[in-house]
Amino acid sequence: MLLTENGLDEWVRAHAEVAQGVTVEAIWRLVAAAAPKPKHRRFPLGDSIGQHGRDGILEVDLGLEPYFPDGRSIWEVGTGTDPGDKATDDYRSATEGVPGDERAQSAFIFVTPLSGRRGWAHESQERWVGDRNSRGEWRDVRVIDGTKLVDWLRQCPSAVGQEWRGRYGRVH
């Protein structure tokens, strides 16, 4: 599978209607491959996308750095053209909706398959993450952008199997 950050970015922008579901499914597959025996894993897929609540919840004994830490994590996914605003909205919503004692033991992870070259630059992401981590509202705050997502997909090509590529087309 030839997968590049720019190719992924272009594919997401050209396939906006299916990009959210494809991205959540790719994350689910990556998480399932990296943590095959979770204590808890909930990532609504297919026609369950868009239901009320978090895009993903994961609890594992052993995380996979730099993607997700040990313990509990709350995941939000945004495929829109302004990932910084979406991350801020999702962070605010999750902070208001998840009790403080649970947040203190959980990481907040925002995923965007978009590239930092067209929108939310890496330096801006780092400032965003640093600001949120300094607030102490969550145990940890992370962003997985197009660069990190492609890195993870390349490390774990078996997680995105033939049926996934056949269903959604090849991303290159």
Side-chain angles (χ1 to χ4, degrees):
M1 173 172 55
L2 176 61
L3 184 61
T4 67
E5 180 180 352
N6 291 335
L8 178 62
D9 183 280
E10 290 168 8
W11 186 89
V12 169
R13 291 173 191 273
H15 298 87
E17 290 184 28
V18 297
Q20 180 80 12
V22 170
T23 303
V24 173
E25 185 172 335
I27 293 297
W28 176 84
R29 286 173 174 270
L30 288 164
V31 165
K37 295 181 181 180
K39 291 181 176 180
H40 180 75
R41 181 178 62 220
R42 184 178 193 279
F43 287 80
L45 301 171
D47 62 1
S48 295
I49 296 289
Q51 64 179 278
H52 182 71
R54 310 285 64 99
D55 291 334
I57 301 170
L58 179 66
E59 187 169 352
V60 295
D61 287 326
L62 183 61
L64 179 65
E65 294 295 341
Y67 310 107
F68 59 90
D70 303 345
R72 187 171 177 83
S73 51
I74 306 294
W75 297 63
E76 293 293 345
V77 177
T79 58
T81 57
D82 196 340
D85 283 352
K86 175 71 167 137
T88 299
D89 290 346
D90 285 351
Y91 178 89
R92 184 181 307 113
S93 173
T95 301
E96 292 170 358
V98 176
D101 59 335
E102 185 179 335
R103 288 194 325 266
Q105 296 181 20
S106 301
F108 175 87
I109 301 173
F110 180 77
V111 180
T112 175
L114 297 180
S115 166
R117 74 179 176 94
R118 293 172 59 185
W120 202 18
H122 179 69
E123 295 78 15
S124 296
Q125 291 176 36
E126 286 183 335
R127 283 191 301 275
W128 187 92
V129 167
D131 176 59
R132 279 20 178 223
N133 273 321
S134 71
R135 296 176 187 184
E137 296 169 320
W138 294 82
R139 178 175 54 105
D140 192 10
V141 176
R142 297 181 182 197
V143 171
I144 297 174
D145 67 353
T147 302
K148 285 184 182 176
L149 187 55
V150 166
D151 181 55
W152 194 1
L153 286 163
R154 285 185 173 200
Q155 288 181 42
C156 234
S158 64
V160 181
Q162 188 63 37
E163 71 281 0
W164 187 85
R165 287 190 298 274
R167 181 174 175 193
Y168 297 111
R170 196 168 155 201
V171 179
H172 54 84

